[in-house]
Amino acid sequence: MSVPYCFSQTSIKIAGKVIDQQSGQPLAYAHIGCEKCLTGTAANEEGIFEITVTNFPVKLLFSYVGY
């Protein structure tokens, strides 16, 4: 008896706010990417972002001009 393989695509939406550690001020338009994904996003003017990932485990990478 053979066991059929079943695959499903699971995605998780990650949301957050990018802030400066010292001042607590939002980092507007910071870039957020996923190390193993081909997707990325940018935070809005208040530092808020949302990204959907499908590869696990996930490591998010943050970048901001001047840091």
Side-chain angles (χ1 to χ4, degrees), residues 39-62:
T39 60
T41 190
N44 67 12
E45 62 276 349
E46 298 172 354
I48 297 171
F49 73 93
E50 187 175 280
I51 186 170
T52 301
V53 295
T54 56
N55 295 337
F56 305 99
V58 64
K59 182 187 282 188
L60 295 181
L61 305 172
F62 296 83

Side-chain angles (χ1 to χ4, degrees), residues 3-47:
V3 178
Y5 288 92
C6 180
F7 296 95
S8 68
Q9 185 175 9
T10 303
S11 63
I12 294 179
K13 193 176 291 187
I14 300 172
K17 185 172 185 177
V18 184
I19 60 170
D20 180 84
Q21 184 177 5
Q22 292 179 351
S23 70
Q25 295 297 312
L27 296 178
Y29 311 110
H31 180 263
I32 300 94
C34 174
E35 185 177 63
K36 295 181 181 178
C37 305
L38 298 176
T39 60
T41 190
N44 67 12
E45 62 276 349
E46 298 172 354

